[in-house]
Amino acid sequence: MVVRLSRHRLLALLCGVLAALTLTTPAIAAPPQAGTVRSDAAAGWLARQLVDGERFEAVFDGVAYPDQGLTLDAVFAFAAAGVADDFGAQALAWATRPDVRDGYIGDGTTEAYAGATAKLALAVAVRGGDPTDVGGVDLIARLESLQTPGGRFTDRSAWGDFSNAFSQSFAILALDRTAQGAPATAAGWLAGTRCPDGGYPLLPAQPACMSDVDATAVAVQALRAAGRKADAAAGLHWLLSVQRADGGFTNAGGVANANSTGLAAQALRDGGRPLAWLRARVFLADLQVGCAAPVTDRGAVDFDGGVFDPGTAPRATAQAVLGLTGTGYARLSTVTATAGAPTLPCR
């Protein structure tokens, strides 16, 4: 059974927690008290789940396949928490290895995937690398070659086009870090997909525009980075309208969970909505596995607060760390990050 930090004690903090907008970690480790948020321990747990300290894998029918996307989510989480920098370096080194890289973004000739290319380029930039030379591949040029005249980034593949709001948003966020910045047409295209209620859909041009929490969370961050503040504000307003009373977020009619809440919380703080962020942070902290749980699980963030599932916990924890810290994708950096995988201090 998963033991979590007390929600009612966390909620009590909201009266005086504006000073907590800057996360701190005690210099002397002590048992976590009700109301504490340990993003460092969550990132540390995530680091310890990496296979060979470098990657995540997805297992189907007993066969393990590389999961580059989740591995990059971990790279972002380590940067947000400012810890496990050595694990982040190893994970990115693995993801940029030519065979692993091309299995993810395509070979650039027969296959080229916009979302994967953009996400990898952003991860390289976050870690202070040069996305124009990743093992001899210019990810920025590759990404720009996938933009249509109308501004949309699409995939080039015999299997079809799988691009969506994440592809477009990550492309804008990656290109925003270049000298020339993100193309105005790209941000304009993304802004044009907004639904009448103000949110953003995962897939554009559907018979009915359905706002999606996860898609909206990344879209508003991309739009803010590109200077489209009004379009981002509409998305933030929609997120506020669908936040639950307990601070959590759900998506597609499911249960409130760490993944959607983590991304939404990240967008809320990045977008200047601190009280809503704090409420979401309370929800996420309540899902963090505490000291009464087995040692191997402590610090992880459970997907939805049910029975702890080690299969869903890595992605839930990676995205929850983004929400717990509230550091937007556009501001992620490893300049002050430290090495090591912190644990939840327990006695």
Side-chain angles (χ1 to χ4, degrees):
M1 184 175 193
V2 177
V3 180
R4 304 173 191 85
L5 304 179
S6 169
R7 174 175 293 171
H8 72 276
R9 290 292 302 278
L10 285 165
L11 287 172
L13 293 179
L14 288 178
C15 294
V17 293
L18 285 178
L21 289 177
T22 300
L23 304 183
T24 59
T25 301
I28 301 176
Q33 303 297 313
T36 59
V37 176
R38 299 306 299 257
S39 57
D40 60 340
W45 178 87
L46 186 65
R48 291 188 292 277
Q49 310 315 302
L50 289 165
V51 177
D52 296 332
E54 66 176 10
R55 68 187 183 276
F56 280 104
E57 296 176 342
V59 179
F60 296 101
D61 295 329
V63 180
Y65 299 91
D67 192 336
Q68 295 94 327
L70 178 54
T71 303
L72 295 179
D73 286 336
V75 170
F76 294 138
F78 300 151
V83 298
D85 192 52
D86 46 341
F87 289 93
Q90 292 165 195
L92 189 62
W94 172 81
T96 55
R97 208 174 70 191
D99 58 326
V100 177
R101 177 200 65 205
D102 292 352
Y104 181 52
I105 70 173
D107 59 13
T109 303
T110 59
E111 292 180 287
Y113 299 103
T117 303
K119 191 172 184 179
L120 183 58
L122 179 60
V124 170
V126 165
R127 289 205 51 80
D130 180 6
T132 67
D133 184 7
V134 178
V137 173
D138 186 338
L139 296 180
I140 300 302
R142 174 85 60 87
L143 184 58
E144 291 173 336
S145 75
L146 298 174
Q147 186 180 14
T148 67
R152 180 180 182 179
F153 290 90
T154 60
D155 298 335
R156 183 168 63 242
S157 167
W159 306 103
D161 179 14
F162 304 99
S163 61
N164 53 37
F166 280 86
S167 307
Q168 192 76 16
S169 298
F170 276 123
I172 293 169
L173 288 163
L175 293 174
D176 180 66
R177 292 189 179 231
T178 65
Q180 65 271 28
T185 53
W189 185 90
L190 180 59
T193 67
R194 192 171 75 234
C195 295
D197 60 10
Y200 288 83
L202 177 62
L203 298 172
Q206 298 299 302
C209 191
M210 296 181 60
S211 294
D212 178 277
V213 169
D214 299 32
T216 300
V218 293
V220 298
Q221 293 185 64
L223 291 166
R224 281 179 54 80
R228 305 276 305 218
K229 301 297 177 63
D231 295 304
L236 288 167
H237 181 75
W238 180 79
L239 285 175
L240 291 173
S241 75
V242 297
Q243 187 174 25
R244 291 163 38 117
D246 61 5
F249 287 83
T250 184
N251 212 6
V255 299
N257 60 81
N259 299 65
S260 295
T261 304
L263 291 175
Q266 179 191 31
L268 289 169
R269 190 190 183 194
D270 186 68
R273 306 299 193 275
L275 292 180
W277 167 62
L278 287 168
R279 291 176 55 220
R281 196 164 170 256
V282 165
F283 177 87
L284 292 170
D286 190 50
L287 297 181
Q288 188 167 29
V289 180
C291 291
V295 174
T296 54
D297 298 339
R298 295 174 186 172
V301 179
D302 187 50
F303 173 72
D304 61 3
V307 176
F308 182 72
D309 182 356
T312 60
R315 194 178 305 276
T317 301
Q319 295 183 335
V321 168
L322 298 177
L324 288 170
T325 66
T327 305
Y329 283 115
R331 296 184 292 112
L332 287 178
S333 170
T334 58
V335 172
T336 61
T338 59
T343 59
L344 195 67
C346 299
R347 292 188 185 135

